Amino acid sequence: MAPIHDHPGEHAAADPVRLLAIRDTPLSVDEVFRAVGDDAAGGIALFVGTVRNHDGGQDVGALGYSCHPSAEDELRRVAEKVAADFPVRALAAVHRVGELAVGDLAVVVAVACPHRAEAFDACRKLIDDLKHEVPIWKHQRFSDGTEEWVGAC
């Protein structure tokens, strides 16, 4: 019997990037989860970022996201790097732009890998790199009338 690690399902898929988008419409956890379905994946890690009602000790009254025209290309670059560094069977990432309300989904990412530890690690890398490298900016407006722009995501 061949060792488990020699099975094709233990390796990255040929084209694991299944869904990438930056949208001005509400996001769907179900859509992202369905996009990463893969019979060879033993673990799917999903991260959902939501708009919270506070930041830095201040009440958030409203916020919006905007992005540079290159944002989707940068998102693809980040996704492809994660897929190259981990045995990713499937990967998806969507980010919202425009005006959002407290509780709205701002970002949903998911990664499917042969095992759960790989899925967790790849998903964390995907969201962390998205936040640091994709040119998406958050404009927060606080209830006291002040506002701030946050670098990326």
Side-chain angles (χ1 to χ4, degrees):
M1 184 165 142
I4 292 173
H5 65 276
D6 283 342
H7 188 279
E10 292 293 316
H11 305 287
D15 185 13
V17 178
R18 305 269 179 88
L19 171 65
L20 296 176
I22 296 174
R23 299 181 175 155
D24 61 1
T25 56
L27 305 181
S28 166
V29 172
D30 289 338
E31 176 193 25
V32 173
F33 182 73
R34 281 191 309 271
V36 297
D38 188 289
D39 289 344
I44 295 174
L46 179 86
F47 174 81
V48 179
T50 58
V51 176
R52 63 180 177 264
N53 68 357
H54 68 281
D55 190 32
Q58 293 183 280
D59 292 332
V60 173
L63 73 81
Y65 287 96
S66 59
C67 68
H68 189 271
S70 68
E72 282 196 4
D73 291 338
E74 289 301 307
L75 179 57
R76 176 160 298 280
R77 185 188 58 73
V78 164
E80 288 174 349
K81 176 84 167 80
V82 169
D85 291 347
F86 295 89
V88 174
R89 301 293 310 168
L91 177 151
V94 292
H95 201 294
R96 179 105 182 258
V97 293
E99 295 301 310
L100 281 75
V102 170
D104 282 349
L105 305 184
V107 61
V108 183
V109 301
V111 178
C113 290
H115 303 281
R116 72 177 174 270
E118 300 158 340
F120 280 126
D121 292 344
C123 189
R124 175 180 288 277
K125 181 74 170 156
L126 178 59
I127 189 61
D128 287 350
D129 287 357
L130 185 160
K131 288 179 64 80
H132 291 107
E133 298 179 30
V134 178
I136 299 173
W137 304 285
K138 178 169 59 174
H139 183 208
Q140 297 187 118
R141 292 173 298 286
F142 300 105
S143 57
D144 66 1
T146 61
E147 60 184 51
E148 78 173 343
W149 284 91
V150 180
C153 284

